[in-house]
Amino acid sequence: MNGRDIPPVLTGVFGDPIAHSLSPAMQTAAFRRRRLHYVYLKFRVPAPDLQAALRGAALLGFRGVNLTIPLKEAALRLVDVLTPVARNTGAVNTVTFGGPGRIEGHSTDGAGFLRAFHEAWKTGVRGEKVLLLGAGGAARSVAFALASAGVRAISLCDLDGKRLARLLRDLRDRAKFRARGAQCPLPRIDDRMLDGVTLVVNATPLGMDGRSVPLMPGLLAPAMRVVDLVYNPAVTPLIRMARRRGLRCINGEGMLVHQGALSFERWTGRRAPVAAMRHALAAALRRRRRGK
Ligand code: NAP
């Protein structure tokens, strides 16, 4: 048997819809750069089929899969082992198949956020006072990551009071972190939520339309850093606003690359070639923006 006959290690992404996923471009570039004989494929998996798809992938010898909308929460009940991070976050974005009874669910979003922050500013988040806009899936990942990385304070804003209360309670019970929260219709927000804030994170979809801002312009102060988790458009309305005021800011591309890099590292045990992944993601995003 020559090298070409050896079947590749199987990885991929499950979701519904799935055509839009940028992960195959990033992961394929990473495997190539590290000369790993792996493939990464997309599979449309509706939520009711997730259990069968996971068992099937395990049976076929997959090394791992990413999960995207609408499967991240459903997977919590379906994997054999949940990492503490996935349990806290309430979502699974990375599954690793480790043999019978060893389908492990993990979430790399929060750690991806921290790595992107560090990469941009060569410092960690310790001591920051954070205004986190949103209390949905992305906000949960970021909130637990921030709490575990030693931020001084977190203020949360979301329209959905129940979701907000759940995140505040989970942070208190699971991370022993007391955040404060306000139910508010962004971009309007009680001024007091901004007291001493050094880092603003947008974890709402506001800005994906290229027009909406999650915060009124006058509320940004020069000492703040801004992270917008939205990555398409590249220059979101919040980023434009922050740049005009001379603030340090990044969009969500870094987090997207690093959450993928962390999945790659779990599956391969190798350091991820982050630059190659970023390059592939940027090219895929350019194609998407051109409508290809
Ligand atoms: P999600 O679960 O829908 O959460 C968004 C939250 O924002 C919801 O609770 C929503 O409340 C709230 N919200 C929306 N508009 C609001 C407003 N005007 N005022 C107050 N609250 C408002 O979404 P998600 O999955 O967390 O994603 C959020 C964003 O992060 C998306 O843009 C996504 O693309 C981005 N993201 C980026 C990465 C990355 O790697 N860069 C990863 C994950 C997500 P309602 O439901 O009541 O509207």
Side-chain angles (χ1 to χ4, degrees):
M1 199 152 84
N2 70 33
R4 282 165 195 255
D5 297 326
I6 298 171
V9 177
L10 301 171
T11 63
V13 56
F14 294 173
D16 184 22
I18 196 61
H20 69 286
S21 176
L22 298 162
S23 295
M26 275 198 297
Q27 298 293 351
T28 302
F31 295 142
R32 281 207 189 117
R33 176 57 55 96
R34 289 282 177 260
R35 296 179 179 281
L36 291 169
H37 190 36
Y38 280 52
V39 287
Y40 188 98
L41 305 164
K42 322 184 203 197
F43 298 90
R44 190 174 76 78
V45 176
D49 295 339
L50 179 59
Q51 184 166 22
L54 287 173
R55 300 291 152 191
L59 196 71
L60 292 170
F62 272 62
R63 176 68 51 85
V65 290
N66 287 126
L67 302 180
T68 185
I69 291 169
L71 308 175
K72 290 183 177 190
E73 286 82 23
L76 291 170
R77 292 174 282 105
L78 301 176
V79 295
D80 301 315
V81 187
L82 266 184
T83 65
V85 172
R87 186 176 302 112
N88 285 341
T89 304
V92 169
N93 79 342
T94 305
V95 174
T96 307
F97 300 98
R102 290 292 305 178
I103 302 182
E104 185 194 70
H106 181 59
S107 173
T108 61
D109 278 342
F113 172 89
L114 294 178
R115 275 204 191 179
F117 185 100
H118 191 271
E119 181 183 58
W121 292 306
K122 311 295 172 247
T123 180
V125 295
R126 180 167 293 281
E128 298 280 346
K129 290 185 84 176
V130 186
L131 174 66
L132 179 52
L133 305 171
R140 287 188 68 92
S141 311
V142 170
F144 276 99
L146 290 170
S148 72
V151 295
R152 198 136 54 99
I154 303 176
S155 301
L156 287 164
C157 298
D158 197 290
L159 198 54
D160 186 323
K162 275 195 189 146
R163 209 173 282 162
L164 181 68
R166 197 180 326 126
L167 179 50
L168 289 170
R169 191 194 59 220
D170 288 348
L171 281 169
R172 187 195 63 207
D173 295 349
R174 301 177 187 182
K176 307 292 169 239
F177 193 97
R178 283 189 184 276
R180 60 180 186 155
Q183 188 177 0
C184 39
L186 298 168
R188 305 208 174 275
I189 169 180
D190 184 335
D191 287 6
R192 282 171 298 183
M193 296 296 279
L194 281 144
D195 270 353
V197 163
T198 55
L199 170 63
V200 175
V201 180
N202 176 34
T204 75
L206 294 168
M208 289 177 79
D209 60 1
R211 289 188 310 275
S212 323
V213 285
L215 203 59
M216 297 300 279
L219 297 176
L220 289 177
M224 295 173 180
R225 294 180 216 254
V226 174
V227 181
D228 196 341
L229 300 195
V230 175
Y231 50 83
N232 198 14
V235 182
T236 66
L238 175 64
I239 295 282
R240 197 176 312 122
M241 205 166 90
R243 279 188 188 162
R244 273 200 203 119
R245 285 170 172 70
L247 273 60
R248 295 160 292 179
C249 50
I250 54 171
N251 72 7
E253 243 180 272
M255 174 170 162
L256 191 62
V257 168
H258 283 286
Q259 59 80 31
L262 287 156
S263 297
F264 174 96
E265 290 174 2
R266 284 185 92 80
W267 297 330
T268 65
R270 303 275 300 274
R271 199 167 50 79
V274 173
M277 295 177 82
R278 178 177 298 104
H279 189 75
L281 173 67
L285 275 167
R286 276 197 302 276
R287 281 196 297 277
R288 181 186 288 182
R289 287 179 193 126
R290 287 199 306 262
K292 286 187 189 164

